[in-house]
């Protein structure tokens, strides 16, 4: 009996301890901020750190994919995506994306817009519980801005890139993020009866399922890349006189490899590979668009496929786990993938989403890039492009092979030996051959009447 009593006391003590631990976990807060647990903040921050660390991968990928004479330039552009992007996100970006009203005591909201946010400019009156979210969402905005650096690499002027960055992070990206990620956005699947506007609750009866940023990040960056690379024009020597592309390989395969580690679902990934190849060839061979990192094909092309794939393979259970039950009543379910047994409403919503993003981004960034071009501040001069942006703007090459003397410029032997197939020796050889043929024609003119 004594042993039984002891076991009972131990069990009771363990139960009491468990209740105490559970209560302590429930009461964990960030400092004195009620309602926000340390564990949620820690998880969100860790996720943000991982997304932000992708910037290092982007820098390696971009540096390895361009020629050695432009490595320092594109690394600096990737750095500025985070630095300048954070200031733009601070001033207007977060406000336009997530500047939503706070619910009144009766559960209703003051004025709000399904198109764009309108509060928390420069973090003014932003609740402390939203600081972690501010950082997390900034990392995605910086990622979207980085995409364009690869498409305009090796020929875009530094100041124009800064102006592009300001436009994209301050306005273009945040508006699309508001559409789909704010509970007030007109395409959001998170809308409810309190945040609804207009004559519908969920667009097409489903809203758009864009969990990780196919639209705000990849399509915005991809379509902006399309506008920038198209208006900027190809690099010197990218196409021959007949319009055929000339290969311009990057200088460091190791950096390329380190920058592209990733994984994907088998079926979606297999199709995405085909989409990338087709989009890349259309860009280069049909449209004659020079995109050194294939940013347009990877991000715009594959993001379009990603939204279509989501409409095809979205599982009902996973959809309702994330977005909750259908807001239309207990007897209804959320829309899900048509291949999984759902209808076509979700596909319709996603197709409209794709078209609207393309129109929004190209409609703003196209004229914006064109104005920069007309002002003469978009592209570097042919002399600067030939010498390389590193030597022209950044004090020397990333890989200096020889320094001729104090105060003198670096001599890049790599450029003299093998750069894009148009080395000085090869050019001189072609000139000599042409002069030889001309001399032969003048000395022994052919009888064209024969």
């Amino acid at each position: 009996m004594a042993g039984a009593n002891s076991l009972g006391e131990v069990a009771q003590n363990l139960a009491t301890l468990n209740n105490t631990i559970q209560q302590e976990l429930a009461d964990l807060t960030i400092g004195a901020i009620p309602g926000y647990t340390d564990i949620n903040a820690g998880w969100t921050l860790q996720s943000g750190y991982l997304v932000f660390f992708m910037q290092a991968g982007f820098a390696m990928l971009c540096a390895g994919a361009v020629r050695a004479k432009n490595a320092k330039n594109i690394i600096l552009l990737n750095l500025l995506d985070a630095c300048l992007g954070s200031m733009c996100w601070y001033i207007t970006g977060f406000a336009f994306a997530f500047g939503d009203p706070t619910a009144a005591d009766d559960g209703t909201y003051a004025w709000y817009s399904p198109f764009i946010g309108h509060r928390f400019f420069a973090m003014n009156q932003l609740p402390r519980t939203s600081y972690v979210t501010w950082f997390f969402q900034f990392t995605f905005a910086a990622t979207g801005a980085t995409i364009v650096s690869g498409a305009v690499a090796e020929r875009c002027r530094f100041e124009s890139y800064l102006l592009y960055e300001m436009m994209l992070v301050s306005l273009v990206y945040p508006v699309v993020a508001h559409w789909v990620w704010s509970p007030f956005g007109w395409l959001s699947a998170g809308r409810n009866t309190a945040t609804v506007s207009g004559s519908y609750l969920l667009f097409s009866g489903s809203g758009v399922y864009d969990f990780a940023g196919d639209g705000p990040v990849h399509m915005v960056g991809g379509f902006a890349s399309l506008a920038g690379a198209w208006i900027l024009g190809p690099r010197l020597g990218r196409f021959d006189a007949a319009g055929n592309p000339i290969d311009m390989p990057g200088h460091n395969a190791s950096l390329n490899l380190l920058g592209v580690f990733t994984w994907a679902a088998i079926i979606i990934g297999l199709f995405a590979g085909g989409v990338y190849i087709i989009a890349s060839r259309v860009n280069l061979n049909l449209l004659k668009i020079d995109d050194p990192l294939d940013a347009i094909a990877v991000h715009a092309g594959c993001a379009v496929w990603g939204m279509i794939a989501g409409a095809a393979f979205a599982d009902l259970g996973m959809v309702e786990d994330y977005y909750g039950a259908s807001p239309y009543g207990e007897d209804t379910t959320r829309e899900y993938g048509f291949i999984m047994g759902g209808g076509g409403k979700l596909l319709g919503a996603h197709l409209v989403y794709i078209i609207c993003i393309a129109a929004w981004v190209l409609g703003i960034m196209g004229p914006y890039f064109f104005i920069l071009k007309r002002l003469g501040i978009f592209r570097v001069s042919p002399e600067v492009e030939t010498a390389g942006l590193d030597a022209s703007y950044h004090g020397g090459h990333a890989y200096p092979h020889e320094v001729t003397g104090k105060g003198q410029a670096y001599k890049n032997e790599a450029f003299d030996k093998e750069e894009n197939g148009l080395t000085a020796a090869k050019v001189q050889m072609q000139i000599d051959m042409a002069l030889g043929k001309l001399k032969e024609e003048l000395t022994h003119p052919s009888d064209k009447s024969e």
Side-chain angles (χ1 to χ4, degrees), residues 32-313:
I33 302 176
Y36 206 79
T37 64
D38 287 334
I39 193 169
N40 285 342
W43 175 260
T44 304
L45 286 172
Q46 289 291 338
S47 301
Y49 300 152
L50 291 174
V51 176
F52 190 71
F53 191 66
M54 290 171 63
Q55 294 290 337
F58 298 149
M60 288 188 290
L61 173 63
C62 290
V66 301
R67 292 169 291 177
K69 61 181 180 178
N70 297 305
K72 289 171 66 175
N73 176 262
I74 202 163
I75 290 172
L76 178 59
L77 296 184
N78 277 262
L79 177 63
L80 288 174
D81 285 328
C83 298
L84 180 60
S86 65
M87 292 187 284
C88 296
W89 188 247
Y90 169 78
I91 297 171
T92 65
F94 183 84
F96 286 151
F98 301 101
D100 300 322
T102 304
D105 293 337
D106 60 357
T108 61
Y109 294 91
W111 177 86
Y112 56 87
S113 168
F115 181 79
I116 192 171
H118 63 282
R119 299 178 65 207
F120 310 134
F121 293 98
M123 298 180 71
N124 182 39
Q125 298 183 342
L126 180 68
R128 286 185 293 165
T129 52
S130 297
Y131 286 3
V132 172
T133 301
W134 186 100
F135 168 75
F136 179 72
Q137 293 296 342
F138 155 68
T139 63
F140 283 91
T143 300
T146 303
I147 293 170
V148 185
S149 65
V152 299
E154 301 197 338
R155 64 222 194 263
C156 179
R157 291 184 61 168
F158 184 76
E159 55 269 37
S160 290
Y161 189 84
L162 299 183
L163 292 173
Y164 138 77
E165 172 95 9
M166 293 172 61
M167 176 62 76
L168 197 81
V169 181
S170 298
L171 176 65
V172 178
Y173 170 93
V175 168
V176 177
H178 183 82
W179 293 352
V180 70
W181 284 339
S182 165
F184 298 87
W186 68 282
L187 288 171
S188 173
R191 286 160 59 107
N192 55 53
T193 54
T195 63
V196 67
S197 60
S199 58
Y200 65 92
L201 178 55
L202 297 177
F203 184 82
S204 188
S206 66
V208 169
Y209 301 160
D210 190 352
F211 174 78
D214 237 22
V217 178
H218 297 285
M219 274 193 276
V220 167
F223 287 127
S225 297
L226 173 61
W230 177 41
I231 294 174
L232 188 61
R235 290 169 289 175
L236 296 177
R238 189 64 173 97
F239 299 95
D240 62 21
N244 299 312
I246 298 175
D247 192 26
M248 286 186 172
H251 79 281
N252 193 314
S254 299
L255 290 177
N256 272 351
L257 175 64
L258 289 172
V260 297
F261 273 124
T262 185
W263 65 275
I266 295 176
I267 297 177
I268 296 176
L270 287 175
F271 276 94
V275 169
Y276 159 71
I277 292 173
I278 293 172
S280 178
R281 291 181 177 177
V282 168
N283 273 338
L284 184 60
N285 297 290
L286 183 61
L287 302 179
K288 306 299 181 184
I289 294 176
D290 180 18
D291 181 355
L293 270 84
D294 267 340
I296 302 167
V298 171
H299 296 282
C302 292
V304 169
W305 159 244
M307 293 310 303
I308 295 173
F313 297 103

